[in-house]
């Protein structure tokens, strides 16, 4: 199997798992969002630690501790991913899967916005058009919901910010996830101990299957991230950008078709504007990628007078 084909398999695997993740989270009821988040953090540390031990790759920690700015960046990344995970779990378990899907639809547009505001990047005219259409979609959805779609915006901005920090750090997927989860593990364990002391923990008190699902939350978190890392190492960014929409499409399908969440005409119109913005954005990205790969015609030397 070629490296490119393997990259597509890794990418599809990652986005399929993320797309159907709401189905998994629903199975974790009656655990509350914070309890699920805490278990997700703790068992992620355990799962990735076992993986790194099997690969005999633990020496990176010593090198990392000699880079204080990298440690500070990891703390920031950990805080952002905790906000993202917690918001997503809350959205799914409060029957707002459609709004969580919206967050990941607008995430590419927020990434572009952060590029302008944080990295001082210059946008092409078509990218400005896509951002304008996306902003119009938020206005339409605000009118439809009767409030700002804060859950979707929190997901989009937290994940975009997380991606920005991760890009600066440059850590491999497994090592990065381990350190980020380890930063969050102590408060997560403290919260689980507090729940247990108040006899409010569901762990071990609902059923053996429920307990097993909470433990498997670590593997369910780490596996798509590792697949995604494998895809990014093998695929062009334009190809990866195209298949990233698979996850929110599947999440939207789960919300509307499986959980029967409402999709009134005004909300559908807002989503349609988001999709139009993404079409404009993706078409511009593909065209720019093709132009950058096109060999440049060498300039002819000027004639000697």
């Amino acid at each position: 199997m070629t490296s490119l084909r393997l990259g597509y398999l890794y990418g599809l695997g990652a986005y399929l798992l993320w797309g159907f993740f709401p189905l998994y989270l629903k199975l974790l009821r009656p655990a509350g969002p914070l309890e699920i988040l805490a278990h997700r953090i703790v068992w992620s540390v355990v799962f990735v630690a076992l993986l790194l031990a099997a690969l005999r790759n633990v020496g990176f920690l010593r090198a990392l501790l000699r880079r204080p700015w990298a440690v500070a960046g990891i703390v920031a990344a950990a805080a952002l991913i905790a906000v993202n995970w917690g918001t997503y779990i809350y959205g799914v378990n409060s029957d707002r899967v459609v709004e969580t899907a919206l967050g990941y639809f607008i995430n590419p547009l927020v990434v572009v916005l952060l590029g302008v505001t944080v990295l001082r990047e210059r946008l092409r005219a078509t990218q400005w058009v896509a951002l304008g259409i996306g902003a119009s979609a938020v206005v339409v959805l605000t009118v439809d919901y009767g409030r700002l779609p804060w859950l979707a915006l929190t997901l989009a901005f937290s994940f975009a910010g997380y991606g920005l920090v991760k890009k600066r750090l440059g850590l491999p997927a497994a090592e990065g996830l381990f350190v980020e989860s380890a930063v969050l593990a102590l408060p997560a364990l403290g919260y689980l101990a507090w729940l247990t002391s108040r006899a409010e923990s569901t762990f071990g008190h609902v059923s053996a299957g429920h307990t097993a699902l909470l433990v498997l939350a670590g593997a369910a978190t780490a596996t798509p991230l590792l697949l995604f890392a494998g895809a990014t190492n093998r695929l062009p960014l334009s190809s990866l950008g195209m298949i990233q929409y698979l996850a929110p499409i599947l999440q939207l399908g789960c919300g509307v078709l499986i959980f029967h969440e409402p999709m009134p005409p005004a909300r559908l119109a807002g989503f349609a504007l988001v999709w139009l913005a993404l079409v404009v954005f993706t078409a511009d990205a593909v065209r720019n990628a093709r132009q950058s790969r096109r060999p440049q015609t060498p300039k002819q030397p000027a004639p000697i007078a």
Side-chain angles (χ1 to χ4, degrees):
M1 183 179 293
T2 65
S3 176
L4 185 65
R5 185 170 297 179
L6 191 60
Y8 277 111
L9 288 177
Y10 283 155
L12 288 172
Y15 286 113
L16 282 171
L17 289 172
W18 279 327
F20 288 115
F21 202 55
L23 301 178
Y24 181 85
L25 289 177
K26 291 282 190 180
L27 297 175
L28 301 182
R29 289 175 171 178
L34 284 179
E35 183 180 4
I36 295 172
L37 174 62
H39 278 289
R40 190 176 182 184
I41 291 167
V42 169
W43 296 113
S44 291
V45 173
V46 174
F47 178 82
V48 182
L50 292 173
L51 179 64
L52 291 175
L55 297 174
R56 298 183 179 180
N57 187 17
V58 293
F60 76 95
L61 284 173
R62 289 190 297 272
L64 185 64
L65 291 174
R66 292 195 290 267
R67 299 165 55 199
W69 284 109
V71 174
I74 287 169
V75 172
L80 287 166
I81 201 60
V83 170
N84 183 269
W85 286 356
T87 304
Y88 186 76
I89 294 166
Y90 169 77
V92 171
N93 283 348
S94 60
D95 301 321
R96 292 161 69 179
V97 175
V98 168
E99 193 173 345
T100 65
L102 173 65
Y104 290 107
F105 273 124
I106 65 176
N107 177 71
L109 302 176
V110 174
V111 170
V112 172
L113 183 62
L114 286 183
V116 174
T117 57
V118 178
L119 302 180
R120 305 298 181 185
E121 295 178 352
R122 297 184 63 182
L123 296 188
R124 297 180 292 275
T126 313
Q127 291 175 309
W128 280 115
V129 170
L131 283 178
I133 297 171
S136 302
V138 172
V139 172
V140 171
L141 290 165
T142 298
V143 173
D144 171 65
Y145 281 114
R147 56 172 173 79
L148 198 67
W150 65 267
L151 194 147
L153 292 173
T154 301
L155 287 173
F157 276 92
S158 61
F159 198 68
Y162 174 73
L164 178 63
V165 174
K166 292 280 284 185
K167 183 178 177 64
R168 294 290 183 89
L169 290 173
L171 287 177
E175 289 82 346
L177 178 61
F178 173 77
V179 179
E180 291 154 15
S181 300
V183 168
L184 301 168
L186 190 59
L189 284 169
Y191 178 74
L192 291 175
W194 179 76
L195 279 183
T196 302
S197 69
R198 293 170 56 89
E200 294 178 2
S201 173
T202 64
F203 187 76
H205 298 288
V206 177
S207 67
H210 181 265
T211 300
L213 287 171
L214 285 174
V215 172
L216 289 172
T221 297
T223 301
L225 283 171
L226 297 174
L227 290 172
F228 177 75
T232 56
N233 291 334
R234 293 169 173 83
L235 291 180
L237 285 180
S238 57
S239 300
L240 198 61
M242 292 293 289
I243 63 175
Q244 73 175 323
Y245 302 126
L246 178 61
I249 288 171
L250 292 173
Q251 291 166 5
L252 179 63
C254 288
V256 175
L257 302 176
I258 298 176
F259 304 132
H260 306 292
E261 294 184 15
M263 180 63 82
R267 192 167 306 168
L268 185 60
F271 268 84
L273 283 172
V274 171
W275 296 329
L276 176 60
L278 291 175
V279 168
V280 173
F281 172 77
T282 305
D284 175 77
V286 171
R287 183 175 62 250
N288 186 65
R290 286 176 177 171
Q291 289 176 349
S292 64
R293 289 197 300 266
R294 189 177 301 162
Q296 301 293 323
T297 304
K299 293 182 178 180
Q300 296 296 325
I304 298 174

